[in-house]
């Protein structure tokens, strides 16, 4: 037998057959491995996923569109025209000026209060949640499972259930109807702690921490200098969720605050809405105020989305 007979048969890339036998050989699919499947490339799958995403997008965008359209109408057009189309007179700027000047210019004060509550509350709550979640994920100590169970229990308890007990507690120490009454409960985020612990357990390698300890880095240094950069996507997610939750919080300020100058936007707009029965022009002010209240959230999402992209591509390699 000649040495040529021992050589493996080659396959013609154009025809998929071997020159010696003429038999066709099934070409590998997908990533080059035989038997792999091209997941998600079927036309039906693409159509279904696109349709679901379109439905979800419509669900979230239609209320924003309604607010934009109706914030540009006069009080007469607000009730006399279709709610999903513009009225005869486009007076968006006039309506926004009326919102900013109504009640002695109280709306900008409400906006600053909301920024204060949401800004300080979300930043401090995010730091506490990430630090505690990192500790639960990377340290072993007595009572760790108990603490983790309490965190899960905190996630399941709605904020409205603790508003009244918090009122009695803060009333006994004399801080109701102050900024502290809304700020202090906003500094705790059980969901953020839970999310940070899960993400830290997966994103922060134990080997990196051990290498840092061998180099003489303190435990706080390990957290701030080595771990926090790895936790950027989780930090941004917790920060955004907490900011939105505090910004949209209504029950806690309603229970804690009596002074109109301390109101956030949510409570202030509800106060205007309550006056629409005797003063119909407050419908116009409420709609314009709702439009202005959406703008900070939209800006925050646009600014923070690049950190999500950076975190998702961090550590990726070229295939």
């Amino acid at each position: 037998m000649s040495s040529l007979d021992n050589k493996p048969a080659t396959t013609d890339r154009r025809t998929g057959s071997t020159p010696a036998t003429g038999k066709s050989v099934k070409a590998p699919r997908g990533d080059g491995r035989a038997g792999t499947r091209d997941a998600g490339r079927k036309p039906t799958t693409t159509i279904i996923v696109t349709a679901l995403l379109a439905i979800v997008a419509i669900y979230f965008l239609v209320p924003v569109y309604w607010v934009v359209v109706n914030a540009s109408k006069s009080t007469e057009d607000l009730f006399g025209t279709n709610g999903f189309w513009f009225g005869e007179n486009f007076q968006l700027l006039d309506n926004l000026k009326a919102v900013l000047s109504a009640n002695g210019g109280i709306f900008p004060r409400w906006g600053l209060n909301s920024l204060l509550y949401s800004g300080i509350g979300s930043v401090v709550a995010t730091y506490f949640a990430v630090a505690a979640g990192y500790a639960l994920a990377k340290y072993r100590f007595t009572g760790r499972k108990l603490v983790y169970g309490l965190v899960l229990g905190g996630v399941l308890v709605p904020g409205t259930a603790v508003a009244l007990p918090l009122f009695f507690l803060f009333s006994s120490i004399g801080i109701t109807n102050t900024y502290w009454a809304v700020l202090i409960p906003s500094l705790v985020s059980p969901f953020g702690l839970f999310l940070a612990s899960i993400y830290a357990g997966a994103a922060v390698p134990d080997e990196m921490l051990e290498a840092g300890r061998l180099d003489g880095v303190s435990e706080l240094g390990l957290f701030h200098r080595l771990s926090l950069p790895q936790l950027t996507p989780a930090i941004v997610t917790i920060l955004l969720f907490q900011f939105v939750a505090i910004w949209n919080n209504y029950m806690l300020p309603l229970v804690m605050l009596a002074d109109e100058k301390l109101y956030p936007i949510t409570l202030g707009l509800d106060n205007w809405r309550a006056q629409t029965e005797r003063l119909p022009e407050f419908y116009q002010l409420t709609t314009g105020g709702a439009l202005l209240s959406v703008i900070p959230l939209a800006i925050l999402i646009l600014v923070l989305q690049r950190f999500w992209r950076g975190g998702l591509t961090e550590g990726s390699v070229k295939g």
Side-chain angles (χ1 to χ4, degrees):
M1 183 180 294
S2 63
S3 60
L4 295 176
D5 296 335
N6 295 327
K7 293 183 178 179
T10 59
T11 303
D12 191 341
R13 294 181 180 180
R14 293 173 297 177
T15 62
S17 61
T18 59
T21 62
K23 295 181 180 180
S24 61
V25 178
K26 189 175 182 180
R29 297 176 298 170
D31 57 357
R33 296 174 295 178
T36 58
R37 299 178 59 187
D38 296 334
R41 295 187 179 181
K42 294 182 179 180
T44 54
T45 303
T46 303
I47 293 173
I48 293 175
V49 172
T50 304
L52 290 176
L53 291 177
I55 293 173
V56 172
I58 292 173
Y59 175 80
F60 286 104
L61 292 178
V62 165
V64 178
Y65 169 78
W66 184 92
V67 170
V68 172
V69 169
N70 289 276
S72 65
K73 296 180 180 180
S74 62
T75 305
E76 294 77 13
D77 291 339
L78 193 61
F79 294 97
T81 59
N82 190 307
F84 290 94
W85 195 244
F86 298 93
E88 297 180 359
N89 299 319
F90 186 84
Q91 53 182 52
L92 177 62
L93 294 179
D94 295 335
N95 291 342
L96 297 183
K97 290 179 181 178
V99 170
L100 298 176
S101 61
N103 289 14
I106 193 65
F107 186 85
R109 178 68 179 265
W110 294 341
L112 291 176
N113 291 339
S114 291
L115 287 176
L116 176 67
Y117 297 139
S118 302
I120 296 179
S122 61
V123 171
V124 177
T126 299
Y127 179 82
F128 286 163
V130 173
Y134 167 82
L136 285 176
K138 293 302 174 182
Y139 294 101
R140 300 294 181 266
F141 52 89
T142 304
R144 175 176 173 271
K145 293 184 178 179
L146 176 61
V147 173
Y148 203 80
L150 292 175
V151 171
L152 290 178
V155 174
L156 299 177
V157 176
T160 55
V162 297
L164 195 57
L166 282 175
F167 172 78
F168 290 126
L169 175 63
F170 289 170
S171 178
S172 63
I173 59 179
I175 62 172
T176 54
N177 198 33
T178 63
Y179 286 107
W180 293 109
V182 180
L183 272 175
I184 292 177
S186 303
L187 302 182
V188 180
S189 175
F191 171 75
L193 198 159
F194 173 72
L195 179 62
S197 65
I198 297 298
Y199 196 90
V204 180
D206 293 333
E207 295 78 6
M208 181 184 69
L209 300 180
E210 292 298 330
R213 294 188 180 100
L214 292 176
D215 290 339
V217 182
S218 64
E219 295 299 325
L220 286 177
L222 291 176
F223 174 65
H224 292 101
R225 294 163 54 188
L226 298 181
S227 300
L228 282 184
Q230 306 295 325
L231 299 175
T232 299
I235 292 172
V236 173
T237 302
I238 297 170
L239 178 67
L240 182 60
F241 280 9
Q242 189 69 4
F243 188 96
V244 174
I246 300 173
W247 185 274
N248 293 330
N249 194 2
Y250 170 76
M251 187 64 183
L252 184 65
L254 177 65
V255 172
M256 295 293 180
L257 303 178
D259 188 356
E260 188 181 35
K261 294 181 179 179
L262 302 178
Y263 284 179
I265 287 181
T266 51
L267 194 56
L269 290 179
D270 183 72
N271 188 32
W272 279 357
R273 184 202 56 80
Q275 303 181 48
T276 54
E277 294 183 0
R278 61 185 183 86
L279 297 172
E281 59 269 19
F282 273 94
Y283 278 113
Q284 184 179 346
L285 295 177
T286 305
T287 306
L291 175 61
L292 290 177
S293 68
V294 174
I295 295 176
L297 300 180
I299 294 175
L300 185 66
I301 293 175
L302 293 176
V303 171
L304 294 182
Q305 66 177 349
R306 67 186 184 91
F307 292 99
W308 275 313
R309 292 198 300 266
L312 291 175
T313 57
E314 184 178 357
S316 61
V317 295
K318 183 177 180 180

